[in-house]
Amino acid sequence: MALFSRTITMLEQGLDYAALKEKVIANNIANVDTPNYKAKSVQFRTELDRALQPLEAKRTHPKHLPFHHQISNQFFVTKRTDVVYNHNGNNVDIDKEMADLAENQIYYNALVERLNGKFTTLKTVIKGGK
């Protein structure tokens, strides 16, 4: 029996993703004028979506062990090579990077708030509901 639900682990992985994405976006912004620099992005949500999908295996008896997904903590940093925005071969779109940075910050803050809520609930339970 697990002490905590998978929620805390999944929130932790989401925070890891958001932190790496923050670094990648900051690196893209820092290299906005670097000749031939190719912007990078982080891929994780597809892995998370796959992990959250229901399992196809079914338990045929209540005493059988349950099936669990193994959620990988692998994030993929990929170069965006599909388009070039600047005359020097650089493809960093500063407006897109700033929008991605703002979206990532909102995502990160939402995860932190949810994690804080989980710990507040645990604290309340430990104190006996007081």
Side-chain angles (χ1 to χ4, degrees), residues 8-55:
I8 291 176
T9 303
M10 293 180 76
L11 289 170
E12 178 185 6
Q13 289 179 342
L15 289 171
D16 289 344
Y17 162 77
L20 178 59
K21 187 167 182 178
E22 178 96 13
K23 285 181 184 178
V24 169
I25 293 170
N27 194 35
N28 288 344
I29 292 170
N31 286 291
V32 70
D33 292 325
T34 304
N36 296 316
Y37 178 81
K38 301 302 179 208
K40 295 178 179 131
S41 62
V42 181
Q43 304 300 319
F44 173 65
R45 288 183 189 228
T46 54
E47 179 69 20
L48 182 62
D49 291 342
R50 183 197 62 76
L52 291 175
Q53 298 207 354
L55 291 170

Side-chain angles (χ1 to χ4, degrees), residues 3 81 114 117:
L3 183 59
T81 58
R114 184 64 194 120

Side-chain angles (χ1 to χ4, degrees), residues 54-118:
L55 291 170
E56 292 183 23
K58 297 191 190 276
R59 291 171 59 183
T60 57
H61 192 276
K63 292 185 178 181
H64 289 168
L65 295 174
F67 296 95
H68 293 289
H69 277 294
Q70 290 292 346
I71 301 172
S72 78
N73 200 14
Q74 294 181 349
F75 310 115
F76 303 100
V77 178
T78 58
K79 286 185 181 179
R80 288 182 282 194
T81 58
D82 54 346
V83 67
V84 175
Y85 292 112
N86 299 322
H87 64 282
N88 63 359
N90 186 309
N91 71 347
V92 176
D93 180 359
I94 192 68
D95 293 329
K96 180 185 181 324
E97 297 300 327
M98 295 304 285
D100 287 349
L101 187 64
E103 178 184 0
N104 191 58
Q105 187 63 44
I106 292 167
Y107 176 71
Y108 182 86
N109 288 342
L111 290 173
V112 168
E113 286 294 321
R114 184 64 194 120
L115 196 57
N116 284 338
K118 286 297 256 184

